[in-house]
Amino acid sequence: MTLLSVSGLSIGLKHHEDLLVRDLNLTLDAGEIVGLVGESGSGKTMASLALLGLLPPAVEVRAGEAQLDGIPLLAGPGGGVHRHTGDITMVFQNARAALNPTLRIGFQIRRVLMAVRGMPRRDAEAEAVRLLGRVGIPGAERVARAYPHQLSGGMCQRAVIAMALAFRPRVLIADEPTTGLDVTVQAQIFDLLRDLAADTGSSVLFITHDLAAVAEMCDRVSVLFAGQVMETAETVELFKRPRHPYSEFLLASLSPEADEPAEGGLAAEKEVVPEEKGVDFSLPGCRFAHRCPHVFDACKEYPPLFPAGERHHYSCFLGREIPVATTSRS
């Protein structure tokens, strides 16, 4: 059952025609973990902030719809949202910066419980300790009395996840939640997020640039480049049979010495992806065209998402029968 659906989400700068995110489509089923993967600056965090109504003042939603359990979420152009507090919560990349350094950990969780769930102070204190224990923090009572600077990066991240759980979210957005953590702690955070999705039925939107993390964590994945969805598929399917040239290059980066393309993929290319020259967001066509070795005339138009399977779509004219006239979308 689809819990969150996003259709045609476009985001741009105010008083400027160009789009930072263009025609984003995304769905999350209950209990599912969906990855949103792409390079830095590809629009991953911007899209998630739009769903929370937290876009910067100079940025606005231009078009698109989003529904949470069938109920409209976006309030229309401008960036506002219709939602109950806690329906969607976010775990930010820098957990220590997300915590107030002057307040004890337990107090920060307690005030969420009191404000959002209306708990009395004593009950909120006990629930804060329980939530810290639930996310795997040993000595939860002691940690509840600690300040953020007294905890490791991994402990701060767990505390932030505990705070997010205080909202009882239906959708949890995890924005590169293991950045700067060692591999052992990363694995523990991954296990925690998987368990939470399974136990609570909440959906997780997992934002990352790490394909290895996607392979370990996600049921499905959407690949984003310069604000445009290049490909979306079940994770196993994407790794076995990528259809978009950008997806192939991403996967090739995991094993740069490999000579053979992925099964069912494009022919092996000896060319190297051209050095990034910056994306011209005013161009109506494919935003990967300036770096793609397969570029041809049709790429001047905006490619729709073509089906490659039941839950596999890719945005590329390569190998498709190109219509006589295509329609550009900016």
Side-chain angles (χ1 to χ4, degrees):
M1 172 182 151
T2 299
L3 183 58
L4 175 69
S5 64
V6 180
S7 176
L9 178 63
S10 295
I11 302 169
L13 294 172
K14 292 181 179 178
H15 314 299
H16 203 288
E17 294 183 358
D18 299 345
L19 295 177
L20 304 176
V21 174
R22 179 171 65 179
D23 199 25
L24 175 68
N25 297 284
L26 185 72
T27 61
L28 283 84
D29 295 340
E32 185 180 37
I33 301 177
V34 174
L36 191 59
V37 63
E39 303 172 18
S40 296
S42 61
K44 307 184 298 296
T45 300
M46 195 70 69
S48 63
L49 292 177
L51 298 178
L52 291 163
L54 295 177
L55 287 173
V59 182
E60 64 181 356
V61 172
R62 293 282 181 79
E65 297 179 350
Q67 293 187 340
L68 183 63
D69 203 12
I71 300 174
L73 180 65
L74 295 179
V81 296
H82 295 304
R83 64 184 177 90
H84 295 295
T85 302
D87 281 343
I88 303 178
T89 59
M90 188 168 183
V91 175
F92 290 92
Q93 180 173 338
N94 187 341
R96 198 183 298 279
L99 294 167
N100 189 323
T102 68
L103 301 177
R104 299 180 191 272
I105 296 295
F107 176 83
Q108 297 189 55
I109 300 174
R110 185 184 79 202
R111 66 179 183 175
V112 171
L113 294 165
M114 294 173 66
V116 176
R117 291 166 56 179
M119 282 189 173
R121 174 172 176 168
R122 184 168 303 220
D123 292 344
E125 288 178 347
E127 178 66 5
V129 172
R130 189 191 71 82
L131 286 171
L132 289 171
R134 183 178 182 185
V135 296
I137 291 180
E141 291 186 4
R142 174 184 56 81
V143 172
R145 296 191 296 269
Y147 290 94
H149 72 271
Q150 296 175 308
L151 304 180
S152 67
M155 295 280 270
C156 284
Q157 191 61 275
R158 290 173 186 270
V160 168
I161 294 174
M163 191 181 304
L165 292 180
F167 287 93
R168 291 180 174 170
R170 306 183 70 190
V171 176
L172 177 64
I173 300 174
D175 187 3
E176 306 210 31
T178 58
T179 298
L181 304 180
D182 63 57
V183 292
T184 302
V185 177
Q186 285 183 24
Q188 293 171 352
I189 298 296
F190 290 162
D191 289 341
L192 172 60
L193 292 174
R194 276 194 298 264
D195 291 344
L196 293 175
D199 294 344
T200 65
S202 300
S203 301
V204 177
L205 180 60
F206 186 76
I207 298 174
T208 185
H209 62 270
D210 186 351
L211 285 172
V214 168
E216 182 175 349
M217 279 290 296
C218 301
D219 303 303
R220 288 187 295 117
V221 59
S222 290
V223 179
L224 203 63
F225 176 81
Q228 176 185 334
V229 173
M230 297 290 143
E231 189 162 3
T232 179
E234 292 185 355
T235 304
V236 173
E237 177 72 9
L238 180 78
F239 276 73
K240 288 180 63 178
R241 285 177 285 273
R243 298 298 299 270
H244 197 284
Y246 179 64
S247 301
E248 285 215 325
F249 283 125
L250 279 183
L251 294 173
S253 70
L254 295 177
S255 53
E257 297 179 358
D259 294 326
E260 296 297 325
E263 178 185 346
L266 307 174
E269 291 289 339
K270 299 300 181 183
E271 302 164 78
V272 177
V273 182
E275 183 179 351
E276 177 63 73
K277 301 175 182 178
V279 179
D280 185 350
F281 289 97
S282 66
L283 294 176
C286 177
R287 289 184 171 174
F288 187 60
H290 71 301
R291 298 179 68 189
C292 181
H294 307 286
V295 64
F296 63 115
D297 287 346
C299 302
K300 296 176 183 177
E301 306 292 335
Y302 177 53
L305 283 170
F306 293 106
E310 184 178 353
R311 305 190 79 180
H312 190 171
H313 295 79
Y314 66 105
S315 180
C316 183
F317 288 121
L318 192 66
R320 309 294 304 190
E321 182 178 346
I322 309 303
V324 175
T326 54
T327 302
S328 299
R329 289 182 285 173
S330 57

